[in-house]
Amino acid sequence: MKRTAALLAGLLLCTLTAACGSGEQPGGAAAAVERGLSITIPSIGVQSSLIPLGLNEDRTVATPPLSTPMQAGLYVNGPAPGDPGPAVVLGHINGGGQEGVFSRLAQVKAGDEVDVAKTDGTTATFTIREVTRAPKDAFPTAKVYSDTPNPQLRLITCGGALDRTARSYVDNVIVYADLTGTRA
Amino acid sequence: MVISRCLTLGEILSVLVHRRLVAGLGAAVMAAGLLLSAGSASAQDSSDPKCVAVATAKKAKTTAEAAYDDAKTKLTNASSAVTEAESAANAAPNDADLQTKLTAARAAHNQAMTAEAAADSTRKGAAMNLSQAVDAAVKAGLDCDGTNPPKTPVEVTDPPKTPPSPAKPDNGGGNRPGGPGKPAGPDLNCRDFVSRPAAQAVLDADRSDPYRLDADHDGYACEDFFGEPSEDPDVDHDVTVDHTDDDDSDADTSGDQVTVVPEGSADTGSAL
């Protein structure tokens, strides 16, 4: 009995440790998204919570489920939004025959603001610097994922012509933004 | 004199024997001590919270993968059902019953798609948790699997085995599950690690490579998956940035703010 109790206590302790341990993820995005984040882009009426996104089996970046196209997500192997580095937020242009959360992303302009809020109410405000479109077969990996001296944000969705054979779009729309303010 | 000499000889012999015994006993005690200490170290490792976290995460990942395989099979079946219902309905466009069946099949397919997506998210989350747990244990220098001899008497890290999930797709890591020397418990694949050094630490802990992390037997773990190890040991033993190499993108990335750089573009739209 004692042994069982000890084992149970150990298991419980470990479960707790595992929950806390995820905060040690390098980069910080995983911990931040676990505590709860949401994104708002007032100029195009975007409002979504952020779910964690990792990698697919082919090492491409995961995207939110197509069944919930209005859901945006944060790439977890990077910095938390507001920390130095490129935090990457991904959303669908459409999915499951419905409009996606980033269906109007290509319409944002330099100077538009993007807010990322934590559950405690702290909000990081990013200002859009650049809106680009890149063919998927020449994705600017270095520009998107390389270190940055300041906290930055990337917003990624699909765009360009629709390749009906592949049932996907040929381009990615990528928006670059810089942190310009935080408020409690 | 003779007796005394004999006694002396006997004494000498007895002392010698005694010494040998003592030495032997000492060695045995020392060996036992070593065994005990090694055993207790391993037992400590496997009962360490970080190790139990690894075991828990492994179990969760196995369950999640089985659930995903199940959802995927159901989705495939639902997909075939829609195709069949479509061809039947197309062959007899005025048959209301077939149209109803088609609608039902499509609804079931939608449900299966949602279930598959949810199972996929859970599976990815479980893999992420395992990767973090393994990394934390490796960083803490723990030998969670007790793979270093001597074996621990109590294998706390090995939960009751669940039946292996159906054939998994290629893990992209060069290692294959089910080798002859595979330890009990769920398999570890290259993709279960956050970095190549983390995988290397597991390989270094057991050079017999029970998880087949070093498929080409060159002493380096998972380099097919994470890229070639760095020449600079200081760089290689930190958390490294995994550079993309085959995505036709214009350049490597620099820096380590993003710890794992994805391949290629993002599939963020669908015409489905």
Side-chain angles (χ1 to χ4, degrees):
Chain A
M1 273 309 283
K2 263 188 187 169
R3 196 168 179 162
T4 315
L7 270 176
L8 278 176
L11 270 174
L12 180 64
L13 182 63
C14 286
T15 314
L16 293 173
T17 317
C20 304
S22 53
E24 294 164 13
Q25 170 81 8
V33 79
E34 192 172 295
R35 285 193 289 269
L37 290 175
S38 64
I39 187 168
T40 312
I41 312 175
S43 63
I44 54 168
V46 164
Q47 163 71 53
S48 171
S49 61
L50 293 178
I51 59 167
L53 299 172
L55 292 177
N56 296 315
E57 281 179 7
D58 62 358
R59 305 277 292 165
T60 57
V61 67
T63 55
L66 273 173
S67 52
T68 53
M70 289 304 285
Q71 175 71 60
L74 177 71
Y75 180 55
V76 294
N77 297 310
D83 286 350
V88 180
V89 173
L90 300 114
H92 287 290
I93 190 165
N94 58 14
Q98 294 169 318
E99 200 167 78
V101 62
F102 281 171
S103 61
R104 297 176 64 205
L105 188 65
Q107 293 164 31
V108 296
K109 303 256 179 317
D112 285 359
E113 290 191 340
V114 182
D115 287 338
V116 179
K118 295 182 192 168
T119 43
D120 66 3
T122 319
T123 302
T125 300
F126 296 83
T127 303
I128 291 171
R129 168 171 28 97
E130 199 179 349
V131 183
T132 64
R133 178 174 289 189
K136 280 186 180 173
D137 57 10
F139 188 85
T141 299
K143 188 171 173 180
V144 170
Y145 295 106
S146 285
D147 278 9
T148 64
N150 60 321
Q152 295 194 12
L153 194 67
R154 312 278 183 254
L155 308 173
I156 302 179
T157 193
C158 284
L162 182 64
D163 179 346
R164 290 202 176 271
T165 319
R167 290 180 162 181
S168 71
Y169 291 84
V170 296
D171 291 351
N172 273 134
V173 171
I174 307 160
V175 171
Y176 299 82
D178 299 292
L179 183 74
T180 47
T182 48
R183 58 177 188 274
Chain B
M1 283 300 280
V2 173
I3 291 172
S4 121
R5 204 175 279 165
C6 278
L7 277 174
T8 311
L9 269 174
E11 273 171 11
I12 290 168
L13 271 175
S14 88
V15 166
L16 276 175
V17 168
H18 186 61
R19 277 217 181 131
R20 189 168 285 177
L21 262 177
V22 167
L25 271 174
V29 166
M30 274 174 69
L34 277 175
L35 280 172
L36 278 173
S37 65
S40 64
S42 266
Q44 250 173 13
D45 278 5
S46 56
S47 62
D48 185 282
K50 285 192 170 69
C51 283
V52 187
V54 170
T56 312
K58 271 187 199 169
K59 202 173 166 185
K61 182 168 171 275
T62 310
T63 312
E65 288 199 340
Y68 174 74
D69 289 340
D70 186 44
K72 184 115 189 167
T73 310
K74 282 183 179 152
L75 177 59
T76 311
N77 293 343
S79 215
S80 322
V82 170
T83 313
E84 276 173 35
E86 267 175 353
S87 57
N90 285 342
N94 296 324
D95 189 330
D97 191 33
L98 287 179
Q99 292 298 331
T100 313
K101 278 186 182 160
L102 175 57
T103 310
R106 280 186 175 148
H109 181 248
N110 274 343
Q111 278 181 356
M113 262 180 21
T114 310
E116 192 255 3
D120 192 34
S121 290
T122 310
R123 179 180 67 135
K124 281 171 186 153
M128 205 189 304
N129 288 342
L130 175 60
S131 158
Q132 286 166 5
V134 167
D135 203 38
V138 168
K139 271 186 189 153
L142 297 171
D143 172 29
C144 290
D145 292 310
T147 43
N148 288 336
K151 284 270 182 193
T152 57
V154 184
E155 286 282 32
V156 183
T157 52
D158 284 336
K161 269 190 273 177
T162 47
S165 53
K168 277 183 255 173
D170 185 352
N171 58 32
N175 60 327
R176 300 287 176 274
K182 189 178 167 247
D187 192 20
L188 272 180
N189 296 318
C190 290
R191 64 162 178 260
D192 296 327
F193 298 94
V194 293
S195 64
R196 206 201 65 76
Q200 185 69 41
V202 170
L203 175 65
D204 289 344
D206 185 356
R207 279 287 173 185
S208 72
D209 196 16
Y211 297 111
R212 303 194 66 188
L213 301 173
D214 180 18
D216 54 2
H217 307 296
D218 65 350
Y220 292 107
C222 297
E223 73 268 40
D224 285 350
F225 192 73
F226 287 113
E228 291 296 325
S230 165
E231 293 295 320
D232 180 352
D234 287 339
V235 171
D236 197 36
H237 285 84
D238 282 329
V239 171
T240 53
V241 176
D242 303 306
H243 295 290
T244 55
D245 49 10
D246 60 358
D247 60 1
D248 296 323
S249 62
D250 50 3
D252 272 356
T253 58
S254 62
D256 57 4
Q257 289 169 341
V258 173
T259 52
V260 183
V261 176
E263 294 281 339
S265 60
D267 197 13
T268 41
S270 161
L272 285 171

